[in-house]
Amino acid sequence: MLAGIAAELRGALGILAKRDVQIPARYLSGKPGAGDAAGAGGASDATGAVHRPAALGDDCAAIPDGDGYLLLAAEGIWPTFLEGDPRFAGYSAVMVNVSDIYAMGGRPIAVVDVVWGTSAGALEPVWEGMVAASRAYGVPIVGGHTSARSPYNALAVAIAGRARRLITSFAARPGDVLVAAIDLRGRMHAEHPFWNASTATDPARLRGDLEVLPALAEAGLCDAGKDISMGGVAGTLLMLLETSGVGAVLDVAAVPRPGDVRDLSIARWLLAFPSYGFLLSVRPDAAGAVLAAFARRGIASAAVGAVDGSRRLTLAAAGERQTLWDLSAEPLTGFAGEGAR
């Protein structure tokens, strides 16, 4: 069983697309022949050393600012998704940016957008969706760029936020417990691997559920994790392991999963993009408190594996094990933490 799941995951576009990140990783690495790293990602001093305001490869740029951090992030929307469901694409563009901010223990401030359309009519549903998400999550749209004179339709949204204490992709440690938290009170999108637990949900509940993340960070209960994005649990965990320079064993059967959806295979669920989903790397003595925090909000959560020093992601189920990816031999995004170098 696991060999088939691993083969399906390795060939999935949501995971393979993460390799595209190797392009900016190469240009921003500061390595010889990697382009103008100083101009792209920071400034150099007289010694030639590059000084960057934030670590690269996280859900947001986290820039130290006073007693906390300014968070900046941006997301582009997959063109096929935008063409097929423009209203939900507009909604999702805001939603995923909001999730990135909370994933790092922060709270959003505002978003800006870049919208290109072939006509005013093409822009209407996109804007309807963005405004609906802005109201649902209580995050204002404060500016951007709109054009109805483009030969194609395109959408990107950027966000700013603030955090007092961070949850980052760089802090997973061997011995940590992997915790997956997913709001299962939703449904699958008809055409795309999106689990929608947002558009029909009371806005007050949406905001309260997201507040779990900064509360965990500020209480010192969690400092490592990511939101589950395109690539699902499997792709998100690979990125977390790569930036932290560690490996893990993932118990695929333990991942919270809806029980009443037909034809939802384990592999398909491990690739799904939930509107509310987080994968956290938690010290063992804090795991109980973290699980309890999600349970109080009615969010399904579970310990789904353990972090180790192998730099491999290994799938496990019913006593069987299968290596999904060896990051020491095959990078995914190219943004590797110090422990991986």
Side-chain angles (χ1 to χ4, degrees), residues 25 56-57 170 241-245 311 331 333-341:
L56 300 174
F170 300 92
L241 300 179
E242 185 174 31
T243 47
S244 288
R311 296 191 61 210
T333 68
F335 281 119
E338 291 298 327
R341 293 189 183 128

Side-chain angles (χ1 to χ4, degrees), residues 40-84:
S44 60
D45 62 16
T47 68
V50 175
H51 303 282
R52 296 189 183 93
L56 300 174
D58 223 327
D59 286 316
C60 302
I63 301 170
D65 185 38
D67 61 352
Y69 299 85
L70 176 65
L71 302 178
L72 297 173
E75 296 279 357
I77 294 300
W78 191 248
T80 303
F81 180 30
L82 179 62
E83 293 294 334

